[in-house]
Amino acid sequence: MRKRYWAGTIGVIRLGVVAACSSDEGPGANRTVSIESGNDQFAVVGSELAPLVVRVVDANDTPETGVDVAWSVVSGGGSITPATSTTDAAGLASATFTLGSTVGTQEARASVPGADGSPVTFSETGLASAPAQMTKLSGDRQAGPVGAELPLPLVVQIRDEFGAALEGVDVSWNVVTGGGNLSSATTTSDATGLAKVFLTLGSSAGGQDVTASVDGLPGSPVTFHATARAPFAILGGGNNVPERYTSDLWVHGDYAYTGTWGFRSASGNAVKIWHLSAGGTPTLVDSIVTAGIGTVSDIEVSSDGSLLVFSAENGSGAGLFLYSLADPANPAFIDSVHVGSGLHTAAFGYIGGKRYIFAAKNPGSPALIIYEIDPLAAQPIDPVDTLPVAANYGLHDTFVRDGLAFLCAWNSGVLIYDVGNGVNGGSPTNPQLVSSVQTSGGQVHNAWWFHSPSGEKKYLFVGEEGPGTIGGSSDGDIHIVDVSNLNAPVEVGSYHLSGAGTHNFWVDEARQILYAAYYNGGVVALDISGTLSGSIVLREIARIMPGGSGNTFVWGVMLANGDVYASDMLSGLWQLKAP
């Protein structure tokens, strides 16, 4: 049976007499005290009741004047005033009882030392107040396989304005995202104020949300988040670059381009060109081999697919290289610039109708070098500005979006520059610092400014690259920075994979999944939907070591054509089915 809760402030008064509990001995034993009125009232907890009144008479039933009556609260936690009142000419004395927060019986007492019937007890009933708050109690942030019922129920608690649990309140439950199923659309709070439901996850991997709501209740609805897990699958590729260590990758259309690093049995001076088939097996069709360099460290294709750019390190020819992709199977050289020991990364940026490259000059004299790119110009790669970076190791990757450049400046943290956004008057030829943030681990390598499907631009994902040995070990976490206020970024969460470290990553913004290249940890998929805080280890969707133990050291990942492509330093290019 559902419990009533009261929406008003004053209850009904019922009159009655409670028999004396005991008799006190002493002066005044010829007196009698009894309840006159105010017993057996019903009112909302916390309410002030009609006065409690007692009558004091002598042995002849004549009212006694000037007798002190002591008042006290016996149970329920309420209050009574005054503590002592004096009988009037009619022998009556009264006090005001304000109920406590306890739903049910509450008692107050009137005492006249030595009088028959003393003390007398008033028994009142506190009614539950209207619902005032709903709290998400348990069941949030669970994970399980797609299509499975989560092990723990989603639980809310309903309380009134005094914090008392409310029974009999209907709570509506609704699946917001993920397509899962609930054990009930409506559940009712029990005697402890708890309402719960079980969630069976939907068939799609990633974040899934359920809301609990009570009409008109402040703070309603509350949202529960769950992560549905599904495995990666290998579609093809792998063990296809035996002579070199594979570095970065980029996929556009039916072709993929991968770089090479250092020296294996051959120098890392090659860009591999792959044709991609529906069957999933990348096929090597050609290579660009560049003399005078030792590593192709970063590679990217312009958004329209017309240009290929890669940065190169080590050797006399290190720098930036630009190719035409008019024939994507046979890139045609356009231009190059040579920069000392070379450029570590190079990222396209599109600002004011022009195309730029934001390149990271290596440590020693680290700097961000910005080039305007125009393949039809007399100088196709035209430097327009150089921004020195503190030699605190130096600059690594740079992420450019919406006229903002996020510089991963290693031990200096992430530097956010206006390069055409307008927030601080910056441009590609005159970058202006907006703010900076140092994540907790140092050695900042990579970043991604996440734009959710709703248009929210709240989170920056930062990868920290710690020390490592190819094929053996690595270290470094993903850190989550709230940049909803670009002037005051703050770290709010992280992901840690024990015994492994992150390198590059890619975000499927439509599905709100981050794919991380985790070196010897393989490829990791993380659910990044909704509100993020603290550790997001439970948001891991899937993980795979494509080359197997001892043959996996993933440098980069990219989502393209509905699949995930991974470049592994040891085992080459892989094509993976996304979870």
Side-chain angles (χ1 to χ4, degrees):
M1 183 174 66
R2 295 186 184 177
K3 194 168 188 175
R4 295 177 295 172
Y5 59 84
W6 200 265
T9 57
I10 299 177
V12 176
I13 301 175
R14 296 182 180 179
L15 302 180
V17 178
V18 174
C21 298
S22 62
S23 295
D24 296 328
E25 295 182 358
N30 292 326
R31 293 175 181 150
T32 299
V33 61
S34 62
I35 291 177
E36 179 72 13
S37 63
N39 187 53
D40 199 22
Q41 298 184 61
F42 287 75
V44 176
V45 291
S47 297
E48 181 181 293
L49 300 178
L52 311 188
V53 182
V54 295
R55 182 182 179 85
V56 180
V57 297
D58 62 17
N60 297 317
D61 203 30
T62 301
E64 288 208 51
T65 303
V67 177
D68 288 339
V69 179
W71 299 90
S72 61
V73 175
V74 178
S75 65
S79 62
I80 195 164
T81 57
T84 302
S85 61
T86 304
T87 57
D88 59 16
L92 302 178
S94 65
T96 300
F97 185 24
T98 300
L99 293 173
S101 61
T102 301
V103 174
T105 301
Q106 301 192 32
E107 294 179 325
R109 179 174 291 169
S111 300
V112 177
D116 289 340
S118 178
V120 293
T121 301
F122 292 78
S123 181
E124 321 292 4
T125 301
L127 301 176
S129 177
Q133 56 181 305
M134 178 168 60
T135 304
K136 182 167 54 177
L137 200 62
S138 61
D140 194 22
R141 302 173 71 174
Q142 295 185 73
V146 292
E149 182 178 272
L150 293 177
L152 301 176
L154 316 185
V155 184
V156 295
Q157 186 169 47
I158 312 298
R159 295 182 179 272
D160 66 13
E161 59 183 307
F162 304 103
L166 291 182
E167 183 181 5
V169 180
D170 289 337
V171 177
S172 297
W173 301 87
N174 184 49
V175 175
V176 179
T177 60
N181 296 304
L182 297 166
S183 58
S184 179
T186 304
T187 59
T188 303
S189 60
D190 62 17
T192 60
L194 302 182
K196 61 185 178 181
V197 74
F198 283 88
L199 171 65
T200 297
L201 296 169
S203 59
S204 297
Q208 306 198 4
D209 292 313
V210 172
T211 58
S213 58
V214 174
D215 288 344
L217 188 64
S220 175
V222 297
T223 301
F224 290 82
H225 187 85
T227 299
R229 293 172 170 165
F232 283 104
I234 294 175
L235 297 177
N239 301 308
N240 44 20
V241 189
E243 82 287 0
R244 289 176 168 90
Y245 293 120
T246 297
S247 61
D248 200 31
L249 85 162
W250 199 271
V251 179
H252 187 87
D254 294 333
Y255 288 87
Y257 306 89
T258 59
T260 50
W261 181 91
F263 186 88
R264 199 172 190 179
S265 59
S267 178
N269 61 354
V271 172
K272 301 286 186 174
I273 304 168
W274 307 85
H275 182 258
L276 306 175
S277 66
T281 302
T283 301
L284 183 65
V285 295
D286 203 353
S287 296
I288 302 170
V289 178
T290 303
I293 66 172
T295 288
V296 177
S297 53
D298 200 20
I299 193 162
E300 189 169 336
V301 175
S302 61
S303 59
D304 63 1
S306 65
L307 299 174
L308 171 72
V309 66
F310 64 87
S311 58
E313 300 178 88
N314 306 322
S316 59
L320 187 69
F321 296 80
L322 182 67
Y323 281 76
S324 167
L325 291 181
D327 179 356
N330 296 284
F333 178 77
I334 296 176
D335 195 13
S336 65
V337 292
H338 304 294
V339 183
S341 59
L343 299 174
H344 185 71
T345 57
F348 276 109
Y350 305 90
I351 300 166
K354 295 183 178 181
R355 185 159 35 202
Y356 297 91
I357 284 290
F358 293 79
K361 187 175 181 296
N362 283 341
S365 55
L368 175 70
I369 304 179
I370 304 173
Y371 300 93
E372 183 177 346
I373 304 298
D374 183 357
L376 300 180
Q379 189 173 356
I381 305 176
D382 183 18
V384 296
D385 195 41
T386 298
L387 178 70
V389 175
N392 195 6
Y393 175 79
L395 187 61
H396 234 271
D397 291 10
T398 299
F399 186 89
V400 184
R401 189 173 197 176
D402 294 352
L404 292 173
F406 298 84
L407 278 60
C408 297
W410 210 245
N411 292 323
S412 297
V414 179
L415 312 178
I416 305 174
Y417 275 86
D418 178 5
V419 292
N421 176 275
V423 68
N424 224 25
S427 68
T429 60
N430 184 33
Q432 294 295 310
L433 182 67
V434 177
S435 63
S436 64
V437 61
Q438 286 186 302
T439 47
S440 56
Q443 300 181 325
V444 172
H445 167 78
N446 186 34
W448 186 292
W449 185 22
F450 173 46
H451 290 21
S452 75
S454 66
E456 186 180 62
K457 304 174 184 179
K458 185 175 183 179
Y459 296 118
L460 179 74
F461 294 95
V462 179
E464 294 183 342
E465 180 185 6
T469 302
I470 296 176
S473 64
S474 60
D475 185 46
D477 298 336
I478 296 173
H479 296 257
I480 306 163
V481 177
D482 186 333
V483 290
S484 50
N485 180 356
L486 285 165
N487 293 303
V490 58
E491 183 174 344
V492 296
S494 63
Y495 171 82
H496 172 75
L497 178 57
S498 182
T502 187
H503 195 238
N504 292 344
F505 39 74
W506 191 273
V507 176
D508 181 348
E509 296 190 332
R511 295 180 62 200
Q512 303 182 82
I513 296 175
L514 182 148
Y515 297 100
Y518 239 90
Y519 274 152
N520 57 307
V523 180
V524 175
L526 298 174
D527 163 24
I528 57 169
S529 62
T531 300
L532 304 176
S533 63
S535 171
I536 63 168
V537 167
L538 291 179
R539 285 172 169 258
E540 182 181 306
I541 297 169
R543 192 191 320 165
I544 189 172
M545 298 176 66
S549 179
N551 193 39
T552 294
F553 211 75
V554 182
W555 173 294
V557 289
M558 182 174 177
L559 178 73
N561 308 322
D563 294 329
V564 175
Y565 294 85
S567 59
D568 190 295
M569 294 189 74
L570 295 173
S571 52
L573 178 63
W574 296 88
Q575 187 171 3
L576 308 174
K577 178 178 173 57

